[in-house]
Amino acid sequence: ITLPSSTFSIKKIFSLMKFAINQRGKYDYVFILDKHYYFNFIGRIISKNTVGFARESISHLFLRYAVIYDDITRYHGLYYLDLLKTSKLVIPDYTDYKLDFKVGSENIQSIDKVMQEYNLEINKFIIVINSGGNNQFESGGIRMLPDNKIMQLITLTALNTKVVLLGSLVDKINYNNYLRLANIQNLINLAGILSLEQSASLMRYAGRIYTTDCGAMHIAITQGLFNRLFCFFGPTCPNHVLPPKMGIEYYWEDMDLLDERYPLYGVTPQRGDYFAKLDVNRDVLKISGLCQGE
């Protein structure tokens, strides 16, 4: 059962409560994957056996089985396994934290056509994703690389290799601005064109994927592309969002600027100096063996 995202707002609380009341008694347990107590409240209307996260004291009021969510240096996937453990329904396997995202054969076939259309060869093109911090609840793009940093990355990687830009419709607008700033022949903007499944399929063929902390990064992780990933982190902690012991390369030099309220409560930091220490050629391309002159 899916509901429009607009339903989950204070203005629509009564219509959402009506929906929840209509579901009452139909389910033995309700697992709540969001961390806001608002969703715990809605879940409690549906069933007394609510399993969810507790950040504030009010969260406990609506949960029968609560998991304290307070450590942003711990991989978030392990927290979801905590929900299973605290429910007492099953003993979870904490070594099995792989994210699943199924890609149908029709998406793979459609990407084969895209590869042909843009003359992309397997393992001979690079994907760049500059997204994060533009969604229903924030619009500052705080997890994106600044324009000068992303332009340096795109310009240098596209010298001898085709570069594909991936993301949403919002990213497509930003990427078009990059295209206007520099006349780069090897740059292909597919943001807002491919579905999530198609993007996942294309990622499998890329030789390297450079991405910020965003949804597309998680899509790449679901495909097991650990050794192809290089991830940029500014306001968020990589230990919280990257699966441990997978050997994923990342850049993070802003640990002294970490504000726990952002990953815990969604309070956006009011600063714009993330990634200031990043030198693309020194910190990224030399590690990847793609620095200028190689």
Side-chain angles (χ1 to χ4, degrees):
I1 303 172
T2 60
L3 297 172
S5 58
S6 59
T7 306
F8 299 93
S9 64
I10 297 299
K11 292 181 180 180
K12 297 291 185 69
I13 187 171
F14 292 110
S15 60
L16 186 56
M17 287 178 63
K18 182 179 179 181
F19 166 81
I21 291 171
N22 289 334
Q23 306 306 313
R24 184 182 292 174
K26 296 181 181 180
Y27 303 95
D28 299 312
Y29 285 78
V30 176
F31 282 80
I32 303 148
L33 305 186
D34 197 276
K35 295 182 283 291
H36 199 283
Y37 63 82
Y38 179 88
F39 296 96
N40 296 346
F41 168 65
I42 298 300
R44 182 63 183 82
I45 295 176
I46 297 173
S47 172
K48 65 179 180 180
N49 292 322
T50 48
V51 188
F53 298 117
R55 299 179 304 183
E56 314 90 345
S57 57
I58 190 173
S59 299
H60 289 273
L61 297 177
F62 311 115
L63 295 174
R64 182 171 184 182
Y65 304 96
V67 169
I68 304 300
Y69 201 111
D70 61 356
D71 184 359
I72 61 167
T73 65
R74 182 176 184 245
Y75 180 50
H76 67 102
L78 300 176
Y79 275 108
Y80 297 112
L81 295 177
D82 288 344
L83 294 179
L84 285 177
K85 181 179 179 181
T86 196
S87 73
K88 298 184 174 66
L89 291 173
V90 68
I91 299 175
D93 177 5
Y94 278 92
T95 66
D96 181 13
Y97 45 74
K98 183 183 181 298
L99 303 179
D100 291 326
F101 184 70
K102 304 295 184 182
V103 178
S105 58
E106 68 279 3
N107 292 294
I108 298 175
Q109 293 170 0
S110 65
I111 286 303
D112 288 340
K113 295 179 181 178
V114 172
M115 296 276 289
Q116 294 175 9
E117 179 179 354
Y118 293 98
N119 294 317
L120 298 174
E121 298 181 58
I122 296 175
N123 296 330
K124 292 185 178 181
F125 67 95
I126 291 172
I127 288 176
V128 174
I129 302 157
N130 192 34
S131 186
N134 287 306
N135 53 50
Q136 184 179 351
F137 305 102
E138 55 180 324
S139 58
I142 192 172
R143 283 172 274 135
M144 296 170 57
L145 290 177
D147 286 350
N148 62 324
K149 307 290 183 179
I150 188 64
M151 286 304 301
Q152 184 184 18
L153 177 64
I154 291 172
T155 302
L156 292 176
T157 52
L159 283 175
N160 302 305
T161 310
K162 287 192 176 183
V163 174
V164 176
L165 302 175
L166 287 185
S168 65
L169 286 172
V170 173
D171 300 313
K172 180 179 182 179
I173 297 172
N174 293 327
Y175 296 165
N176 283 336
N177 290 332
Y178 304 156
L179 289 168
R180 281 191 285 268
L181 289 172
N183 183 19
I184 304 175
Q185 298 298 320
N186 282 335
L187 197 57
I188 303 167
N189 184 6
L190 295 182
I193 297 176
L194 303 182
S195 67
L196 290 178
E197 293 85 353
Q198 290 172 326
S199 296
S201 297
L202 186 63
M203 287 176 181
R204 295 177 179 180
Y205 294 133
R208 192 69 162 160
I209 302 170
Y210 294 102
T211 176
T212 48
D213 177 12
C214 61
M217 180 188 72
H218 295 292
I219 293 296
I221 290 173
T222 66
Q223 303 307 297
L225 305 175
F226 310 125
N227 62 344
R228 305 185 201 181
L229 276 172
F230 191 103
C231 308
F232 299 95
F233 289 87
T236 50
C237 175
N239 290 341
H240 191 52
V241 292
L242 294 181
K245 302 177 181 179
M246 294 301 178
I248 299 174
E249 292 181 315
Y250 63 85
Y251 169 89
W252 191 44
E253 290 293 335
D254 292 324
M255 56 283 292
D256 56 324
L257 305 179
L258 183 61
D259 186 342
E260 293 188 356
R261 296 175 300 171
Y262 183 47
L264 280 180
Y265 302 101
V267 179
T268 305
Q270 299 303 305
R271 62 189 311 149
D273 53 349
Y274 295 104
F275 304 107
K277 301 175 184 177
L278 173 64
D279 182 317
V280 171
N281 195 50
R282 179 196 67 204
D283 300 325
V284 184
L285 300 186
K286 283 186 178 179
I287 294 175
S288 304
L290 293 171
C291 61
Q292 195 168 5
E294 291 194 7

